[in-house]
Amino acid sequence: MTTLSRPPADPSARRPKGMAALKIWLLFGLQDSKGIHPGPGAVSDSHLKKHPWWQVMCLTGVDYFSTLGYQPAIAALAAGVISPLATIVLVAVTLLGALPVYRRVAGESPRGEGSIAMLERLMPRWGGKLLVLVLLGFAATDFMITMTLSAADATAHVIQNPIVPAWLQGQNVAVTLFLLALLAAVFLRGFKEAIGVAVTLVALYLGLNLVVVLTTLFEVFTHPVAVGDWWSTLWTSHGNPVMVVGFALLVFPKLALGLSGFETGVAVMPQIQGHPDDTEENPVGRIKGARRLLTTAAVIMSTFLIATSFITVVLIPEQDFQPGGQANGRALAFLAHEYLGVGFGTVYDISTIAILWFAGASAMAGLLNLVPRYLPRYGMAPGWAKAVRPLVLVFTLVGFLITFLFDADVDAQGGAYATGVLVLMTSAAVAVTLSSRRARQRKRTVGFGVTAVVFIYTTIANIFERPEGIRIAAIFILGIIVISLLSRVRRSFELHATHVHLDREALEFMSSNLSGPIALIAHEPLRLTAEAYRDKLTSAIEVSHIPVDYEALFLEVIVDDSSDFETALEVRGVVRHGYRILEVHGPVVPNTIASVLFHIRDVTGLMPHIYFRWTEGNPVINLLRFLFLGEGEIAPVTREVLREAEPDVTKRPWVHVG
């Protein structure tokens, strides 16, 4: 196989200007097709600096831990005085359900593919692709709403700080748009030091939260009247313990925002430093570090959730949680100002604003990982979707639209966020259940199955309670499916091969021809008898005027998975019934043939000629067979693929049809 490299730039050449310069700037890093970059300034995976698991935990923690900025207020608004008990249910589901599920996911997707890739492997072909598109719709809902909701809550902390100018009051949308634009600017410039910034922010934020929690817990226990009032209200409102537990279970789906962060925790696994003897096939150290990351983050967050849900409902009047109230979306910030003064409260606000804004960065990085990982590989995104900067602009514009539609309201976006989070966690639970069943691990299958049922119930309950979430997710899903299919149709005439390799026998078949051209006869590998090859050769000699003494060389494409797009082609030389055959597996016959012809031209320096028969059947049906089954009208489509790939007709392999 030959390898072509880009020639060095001519230093005397004029620098491009205008639209040409803008295009070069936008498509910087287009060669990165794996989506491993959080920004255009990052390095490739092979040179990626690895970090201890606790540092990487901070990168996912900016998403997970930042929910403390709004989760206690949302829990108090949704569950009222029963919020602490509902939070205990949430913590139980986290530690006994979500955590074991994602520890299993980490073991089965050590390169950060996550549960979506597990389901893709369990459901191959078009069914698997469609399932991935649907899950990507929910993932887009999760990550996009993370960006807009976090920015909106950061805005609430900015505007409600007592030292902020009065003219900012009511400017929630404008401030949120500014924060989103600032986030986009960071990613457009390049985002190299994400983990260093994340470690600083998380350490500062958790430290300040610890001070707030300890101070307010001291206030609670030194003023038992407040606890007594809460206890009396709890039993007066809900009667007996069974009713309390039942109500806590019913309101649990409303608290689902506290489950966020697990999918991100798996996505950042490639950043984790493993053992020196780790291999890419068996990265034991990386998996162990990822499981420590998930466990530690879950324990820290669970502790804070229980403590904050208790102190907020005890110390903050109910009316302050309502829309427009001082504690709406910022319960801990309210307590910081109330019990530690304006100075500390302002520092707390700044740290909360920073980590909420940075949670948007975590979500943006997640989107930049997901989209290039799947859609271009499926042929379901334009080629520029492999570059970072165009995607950043697209996601930012979508974030602007969501902010306008929801008027930068934190509570209004909670349903969509919870829906995205819960569907992804449900898919993970289903994936590990199916994986355990396939491995015949009965106890784990039952355990993960119960967890999957809990998440399915929670997801359905959340959809009925807050149907706007599924509506938003449906818009994302429909948009992704429509755009993906249109892109697949548009890119159907491109070359699909990531590389082509001819084995030794295949090269020997062509070594006897020193002057060219190299003639190949296309043959469907459905009839492999000696009579079928003899008839095809006779027909080619009669119709296409191939010399009678021509030593036949056949080209056969075996269609494996027609839903694949980008594939590596391995061409084998085989002898069957005395005939020489180039055999190759590929997803689409015409595009595979075109890729092989170009490779033969480049390797041998001789021009290949391919000979076809006309395909029988309705042309519309043949077109659909080509798009979805990889077959159809082979000859004209092969010629069109060659024409689009090589504009110079003198360098284009020849197509003969008879």
Side-chain angles (χ1 to χ4, degrees), residues 62-399:
V62 294
D63 176 20
Y64 195 18
F65 300 144
S66 68
T67 56
L68 286 171
Y70 48 81
Q71 170 72 12
I74 290 177
L77 187 63
V81 294
I82 208 170
S83 170
L85 299 179
T87 301
I88 291 174
V89 174
L90 173 69
V91 167
V93 173
T94 299
L95 298 180
L96 301 179
L99 180 58
V101 164
Y102 278 93
R103 284 173 62 90
R104 174 81 178 225
V105 171
E108 297 201 18
S109 58
R111 285 171 292 277
E113 307 96 325
S115 60
I116 295 179
M118 290 178 63
L119 289 172
E120 181 191 25
R121 291 193 295 266
L122 292 170
M123 296 182 63
R125 300 185 181 273
W126 283 108
K129 303 293 189 296
L130 184 60
L131 176 63
V132 167
L133 292 181
V134 172
L135 291 176
L136 284 178
F138 285 108
T141 304
D142 179 8
F143 290 128
M144 286 303 309
I145 300 296
T146 295
M147 290 169 53
T148 57
L149 184 148
S150 297
D153 196 52
T155 298
H157 284 77
V158 171
I159 291 176
Q160 295 187 29
N161 187 283
I163 67 173
V164 168
W167 57 266
L168 273 179
Q169 297 298 323
Q171 301 299 318
N172 295 61
V173 172
V175 176
T176 303
L177 293 179
F178 171 77
L179 291 175
L180 290 173
L182 184 62
L183 179 68
V186 171
F187 275 87
L188 291 175
R189 174 64 181 85
F191 202 56
K192 299 180 182 179
E193 305 301 331
I195 289 184
V197 177
V199 170
T200 303
L201 282 178
V202 167
L204 176 63
Y205 184 67
L206 291 182
L208 292 173
N209 272 284
L210 184 61
V211 172
V212 173
V213 168
L214 293 178
T215 302
T216 50
L217 279 175
F218 178 78
E219 290 291 332
V220 166
F221 290 115
T222 54
H223 296 83
V225 175
V227 179
D229 291 342
W230 167 73
W231 189 259
S232 300
T233 304
L234 176 64
W235 291 112
T236 302
S237 304
H238 299 283
N240 59 60
V242 176
M243 291 294 293
V244 171
V245 173
F247 186 74
L249 292 172
L250 288 175
V251 299
F252 159 68
K254 297 181 180 180
L255 278 62
L257 296 181
L259 289 167
S260 66
F262 282 98
E263 198 74 28
T264 312
V266 174
V268 298
M269 280 188 67
Q271 302 269 0
I272 297 175
Q273 188 178 69
H275 295 155
D277 55 348
D278 274 5
T279 63
E280 195 59 31
E281 294 74 23
N282 188 29
V284 177
R286 185 194 303 171
I287 294 172
K288 187 176 180 180
R291 287 172 172 168
R292 285 180 177 176
L293 179 158
L294 294 168
T295 303
T296 305
V299 170
I300 291 174
M301 191 62 179
S302 298
T303 304
F304 272 108
L305 284 176
I306 292 175
T308 56
S309 66
F310 175 66
I311 59 180
T312 51
V313 295
V314 171
L315 295 179
I316 300 177
E318 183 179 352
Q319 62 270 17
D320 284 330
F321 291 114
Q322 302 303 317
Q326 288 296 307
N328 181 249
R330 56 186 301 274
L332 295 183
F334 176 87
L335 293 174
H337 281 275
E338 186 75 15
Y339 291 96
L340 292 160
V342 174
F344 183 91
T346 300
V347 173
Y348 183 86
D349 279 340
I350 293 172
S351 72
T352 305
I353 292 165
I355 197 168
L356 284 168
W357 174 78
F358 210 73
S362 175
M364 178 74 84
L367 286 168
L368 293 176
N369 285 337
L370 279 176
V371 170
R373 189 185 295 276
Y374 292 102
L375 295 185
R377 179 162 57 88
Y378 294 171
M380 293 179 172
W384 53 258
K386 297 178 183 178
V388 170
R389 285 172 175 147
L391 287 179
V392 170
L393 293 176
V394 170
F395 297 146
T396 302
L397 291 175
V398 174

